Amino acid sequence: AQSVTQPDIHITVSEGASLELRCNYSYGATPYLFWYVQSPGQGLQLLLKYFSGDTLVQGIKGFEAEFKRSQSSFNLRKPSVHWSDAAEYFCAVGPNANAGKSTFGDGTTLTVKP
Amino acid sequence: SQTIHQWPATLVQPVGSPLSLECTVEGTSNPNLYWYRQAAGRGLQLLFYSVGIGQISSEVPQNLSASRPQDRQFILSSKKLLLSDSGFYLCAWSLGLAGVGTDTQYFGPGTRLTVL
Protein backbone atom coordinates (compact mmCIF):
# COMPACT_ATOMS: atom_id res chain seq x y z
CA ALA A 1 0.00 0.00 0.00
CA GLN A 2 1.15 3.51 -0.68
CA SER A 3 1.62 6.03 2.10
CA VAL A 4 2.95 9.52 2.65
CA THR A 5 4.54 11.02 5.74
CA GLN A 6 5.04 14.70 6.33
CA PRO A 7 7.09 14.76 9.54
CA ASP A 8 6.59 18.45 10.30
CA ILE A 9 3.09 19.45 11.33
CA HIS A 10 3.95 23.12 11.65
CA ILE A 11 6.90 25.18 10.44
CA THR A 12 7.62 28.86 11.06
CA VAL A 13 10.13 30.79 8.98
CA SER A 14 10.97 34.45 8.62
CA GLU A 15 10.11 36.26 5.43
CA GLY A 16 13.05 36.06 3.05
CA ALA A 17 14.45 32.93 4.65
CA SER A 18 14.75 29.64 2.82
CA LEU A 19 12.23 26.87 3.25
CA GLU A 20 12.27 23.11 3.08
CA LEU A 21 9.21 20.96 3.72
CA ARG A 22 9.82 17.26 4.10
CA CYS A 23 7.92 14.43 2.49
CA ASN A 24 8.64 10.72 2.69
CA TYR A 25 6.68 8.14 0.80
CA SER A 26 6.18 4.43 0.55
CA TYR A 27 5.26 3.03 -2.81
CA GLY A 28 5.81 -0.27 -4.55
CA ALA A 29 6.88 1.10 -7.90
CA THR A 30 8.16 4.30 -9.42
CA PRO A 31 5.92 6.87 -7.80
CA TYR A 32 4.07 9.81 -9.14
CA LEU A 33 4.63 12.59 -6.60
CA PHE A 34 2.81 15.86 -6.08
CA TRP A 35 2.90 18.92 -3.88
CA TYR A 36 -0.27 20.94 -3.34
CA VAL A 37 -0.88 24.16 -1.44
CA GLN A 38 -4.06 25.12 0.37
CA SER A 39 -4.81 28.63 1.51
CA PRO A 40 -7.22 28.95 4.47
CA GLY A 41 -10.76 28.00 3.52
CA GLN A 42 -9.81 27.20 -0.05
CA GLY A 43 -9.34 24.16 -2.21
CA LEU A 44 -5.94 22.72 -3.11
CA GLN A 45 -3.74 24.03 -5.89
CA LEU A 46 -1.02 21.98 -7.56
CA LEU A 47 2.47 23.40 -7.04
CA LEU A 48 4.47 20.79 -8.93
CA LYS A 49 4.60 17.14 -9.83
CA TYR A 50 7.14 14.46 -10.64
CA PHE A 51 6.47 11.58 -12.98
CA SER A 52 9.85 10.75 -14.47
CA GLY A 53 13.04 12.30 -15.83
CA ASP A 54 14.92 15.08 -14.10
CA THR A 55 14.66 14.56 -10.36
CA LEU A 56 14.63 18.29 -9.65
CA VAL A 57 11.22 19.64 -10.51
CA GLN A 58 10.32 23.29 -10.86
CA GLY A 59 6.86 24.47 -9.93
CA ILE A 60 4.81 27.61 -9.66
CA LYS A 61 5.43 30.46 -7.24
CA GLY A 62 9.19 29.79 -7.15
CA PHE A 63 8.91 26.35 -5.54
CA GLU A 64 10.99 23.32 -6.46
CA ALA A 65 11.19 19.75 -5.23
CA GLU A 66 13.77 17.02 -5.52
CA PHE A 67 12.96 13.34 -5.87
CA LYS A 68 15.45 11.14 -4.06
CA ARG A 69 14.68 7.49 -4.65
CA SER A 70 17.33 6.25 -2.21
CA GLN A 71 15.75 8.24 0.60
CA SER A 72 12.13 7.81 -0.54
CA SER A 73 11.78 11.56 -0.26
CA PHE A 74 10.29 14.41 -2.24
CA ASN A 75 11.11 17.56 -0.27
CA LEU A 76 9.72 20.93 -1.27
CA ARG A 77 12.02 23.96 -1.26
CA LYS A 78 11.92 27.67 -1.83
CA PRO A 79 15.00 29.90 -1.56
CA SER A 80 13.21 32.97 -0.24
CA VAL A 81 9.79 32.80 1.41
CA HIS A 82 7.18 35.52 0.95
CA TRP A 83 4.43 36.32 3.44
CA SER A 84 1.88 35.12 0.88
CA ASP A 85 3.38 31.62 1.08
CA ALA A 86 1.75 31.08 4.47
CA ALA A 87 -0.58 28.15 3.87
CA GLU A 88 -0.89 24.42 4.34
CA TYR A 89 1.16 22.19 2.09
CA PHE A 90 0.32 18.63 1.14
CA CYS A 91 2.51 16.00 -0.40
CA ALA A 92 0.82 13.21 -2.33
CA VAL A 93 1.88 9.97 -3.96
CA GLY A 94 0.08 7.96 -6.55
CA PRO A 95 -1.73 7.03 -8.57
CA ASN A 96 -3.37 3.73 -8.12
CA ALA A 97 -3.16 2.18 -11.56
CA ASN A 98 -6.87 1.44 -11.66
CA ALA A 99 -8.37 4.73 -10.65
CA GLY A 100 -5.68 7.35 -10.44
CA LYS A 101 -6.33 8.22 -6.82
CA SER A 102 -3.45 9.63 -4.83
CA THR A 103 -2.62 9.26 -1.17
CA PHE A 104 -2.09 12.53 0.68
CA GLY A 105 0.06 13.31 3.67
CA ASP A 106 -1.45 15.03 6.69
CA GLY A 107 -0.02 18.38 5.65
CA THR A 108 2.45 20.93 6.96
CA THR A 109 1.25 24.35 8.06
CA LEU A 110 3.64 27.13 7.15
CA THR A 111 3.67 30.36 9.14
CA VAL A 112 5.74 33.26 7.83
CA LYS A 113 7.06 35.81 10.31
CA PRO A 114 7.53 39.40 9.14
CA SER B 1 -10.42 25.39 -19.93
CA GLN B 2 -11.68 23.13 -17.19
CA THR B 3 -13.45 24.37 -14.10
CA ILE B 4 -14.87 22.63 -11.07
CA HIS B 5 -17.74 23.94 -8.98
CA GLN B 6 -18.96 22.97 -5.56
CA TRP B 7 -21.99 24.13 -3.68
CA PRO B 8 -22.95 25.22 -1.25
CA ALA B 9 -19.81 26.94 0.00
CA THR B 10 -20.91 26.66 3.62
CA LEU B 11 -23.63 24.68 5.32
CA VAL B 12 -24.88 24.38 8.87
CA GLN B 13 -27.12 21.41 9.51
CA PRO B 14 -28.65 19.81 12.62
CA VAL B 15 -27.76 16.29 13.66
CA GLY B 16 -30.03 13.78 11.99
CA SER B 17 -30.82 15.93 8.98
CA PRO B 18 -30.06 14.85 5.39
CA LEU B 19 -27.19 16.15 3.30
CA SER B 20 -26.57 16.74 -0.36
CA LEU B 21 -23.39 18.35 -1.67
CA GLU B 22 -22.92 18.80 -5.37
CA CYS B 23 -19.85 18.97 -7.54
CA THR B 24 -19.76 19.62 -11.26
CA VAL B 25 -16.90 19.76 -13.71
CA GLU B 26 -16.85 21.67 -16.96
CA GLY B 27 -14.56 21.49 -19.96
CA THR B 28 -13.59 17.82 -19.85
CA SER B 29 -15.18 14.45 -20.51
CA ASN B 30 -15.16 11.22 -18.52
CA PRO B 31 -13.08 12.55 -15.67
CA ASN B 32 -12.22 10.61 -12.56
CA LEU B 33 -14.02 12.26 -9.68
CA TYR B 34 -13.20 12.27 -5.97
CA TRP B 35 -14.71 13.33 -2.66
CA TYR B 36 -12.36 14.15 0.22
CA ARG B 37 -13.01 15.24 3.77
CA GLN B 38 -10.62 17.41 5.69
CA ALA B 39 -11.29 17.56 9.43
CA ALA B 40 -9.97 20.54 11.37
CA GLY B 41 -6.18 20.36 11.61
CA ARG B 42 -6.03 17.11 9.70
CA GLY B 43 -5.02 15.98 6.26
CA LEU B 44 -7.23 14.84 3.45
CA GLN B 45 -9.20 11.64 3.70
CA LEU B 46 -10.42 10.14 0.47
CA LEU B 47 -14.08 9.20 0.85
CA PHE B 48 -15.19 8.14 -2.61
CA TYR B 49 -13.93 8.04 -6.14
CA SER B 50 -15.59 7.37 -9.46
CA VAL B 51 -14.21 6.40 -12.85
CA GLY B 52 -17.52 6.67 -14.68
CA ILE B 53 -21.26 7.20 -14.48
CA GLY B 54 -22.79 5.03 -11.80
CA GLN B 55 -19.38 3.67 -10.75
CA ILE B 56 -18.58 4.56 -7.16
CA SER B 57 -15.86 3.17 -4.93
CA SER B 58 -15.92 3.79 -1.22
CA GLU B 59 -12.67 4.13 0.63
CA VAL B 60 -13.87 4.13 4.22
CA PRO B 61 -17.03 2.86 5.91
CA GLN B 62 -19.09 5.80 7.01
CA ASN B 63 -22.37 7.57 7.21
CA LEU B 64 -22.06 9.05 3.73
CA SER B 65 -22.79 7.91 0.20
CA ALA B 66 -21.92 9.20 -3.25
CA SER B 67 -23.56 9.10 -6.63
CA ARG B 68 -22.61 10.06 -10.16
CA PRO B 69 -25.81 10.54 -12.14
CA GLN B 70 -24.08 12.30 -15.01
CA ASP B 71 -20.57 12.21 -16.45
CA ARG B 72 -19.48 15.45 -14.81
CA GLN B 73 -21.66 15.51 -11.74
CA PHE B 74 -20.71 14.00 -8.40
CA ILE B 75 -22.99 14.15 -5.37
CA LEU B 76 -22.20 13.44 -1.73
CA SER B 77 -25.16 12.53 0.45
CA SER B 78 -26.23 11.41 3.85
CA LYS B 79 -29.64 10.37 5.17
CA LYS B 80 -28.85 11.38 8.75
CA LEU B 81 -25.90 13.57 9.64
CA LEU B 82 -23.72 12.93 12.66
CA LEU B 83 -21.66 15.43 14.62
CA SER B 84 -18.56 13.69 13.31
CA ASP B 85 -19.54 14.52 9.74
CA SER B 86 -18.47 18.13 10.28
CA GLY B 87 -15.54 19.15 8.15
CA PHE B 88 -14.35 20.64 4.93
CA TYR B 89 -15.43 18.62 1.91
CA LEU B 90 -13.42 18.84 -1.25
CA CYS B 91 -14.32 17.54 -4.67
CA ALA B 92 -11.59 16.91 -7.21
CA TRP B 93 -11.25 15.63 -10.73
CA SER B 94 -8.47 14.15 -12.80
CA LEU B 95 -8.21 13.03 -16.38
CA GLY B 96 -9.64 9.56 -16.81
CA LEU B 97 -6.45 8.15 -18.30
CA ALA B 98 -5.04 6.09 -15.44
CA GLY B 99 -1.48 4.94 -16.02
CA VAL B 100 -0.70 7.63 -18.58
CA GLY B 101 0.79 9.90 -15.97
CA THR B 102 -1.91 12.49 -16.14
CA ASP B 103 -3.45 11.98 -12.74
CA THR B 104 -2.93 15.42 -11.33
CA GLN B 105 -6.02 16.23 -9.31
CA TYR B 106 -7.76 19.56 -9.63
CA PHE B 107 -9.70 20.63 -6.60
CA GLY B 108 -12.88 22.58 -6.14
CA PRO B 109 -13.21 25.42 -3.61
CA GLY B 110 -14.71 23.14 -0.96
CA THR B 111 -17.81 23.10 1.24
CA ARG B 112 -17.55 23.85 4.93
CA LEU B 113 -20.08 21.66 6.74
CA THR B 114 -20.93 22.22 10.38
CA VAL B 115 -23.22 19.75 12.08
CA LEU B 116 -24.76 21.01 15.31
Side-chain angles (χ1 to χ4, degrees), chain B residues 51-109:
Chain B
V51 299
I53 295 175
Q55 300 178 63
I56 309 294
S57 295
S58 174
E59 286 297 288
V60 294
Q62 58 203 304
N63 183 43
L64 302 168
S65 62
S67 61
R68 185 170 177 173
Q70 301 179 45
D71 181 44
R72 290 168 291 177
Q73 183 185 31
F74 205 24
I75 297 172
L76 184 69
S77 304
S78 174
K79 293 182 179 178
K80 287 186 177 182
L81 283 169
L82 306 172
L83 286 174
S84 58
D85 291 324
S86 293
F88 192 51
Y89 288 83
L90 289 160
C91 181
W93 72 271
S94 68
L95 290 174
L97 298 171
V100 184
T102 55
D103 288 289
T104 301
Q105 295 186 25
Y106 301 92
F107 287 80

Side-chain angles (χ1 to χ4, degrees), chain A residues 2-63:
Chain A
Q2 59 199 43
S3 66
V4 178
T5 302
Q6 293 181 244
D8 305 305
I9 297 174
H10 196 170
I11 283 184
T12 299
V13 299
S14 298
E15 190 168 15
S18 63
L19 171 71
E20 183 170 32
L21 302 182
R22 296 184 290 165
C23 173
N24 296 100
Y25 68 89
S26 173
Y27 193 72
T30 300
Y32 298 160
L33 295 159
F34 309 84
W35 274 101
Y36 291 86
V37 61
Q38 183 182 32
S39 297
Q42 302 294 315
L44 277 70
Q45 180 185 22
L46 180 70
L47 284 175
L48 48 80
K49 58 187 178 183
Y50 170 79
F51 288 159
S52 64
D54 192 346
T55 56
L56 185 62
V57 181
Q58 301 298 320
I60 63 171
K61 304 184 179 184
F63 285 92

Side-chain angles (χ1 to χ4, degrees), chain B residues 32-43:
Chain B
N32 292 338
L33 295 171
Y34 312 83
W35 277 113
Y36 289 88
R37 176 169 58 206
Q38 187 177 28
R42 301 291 301 277

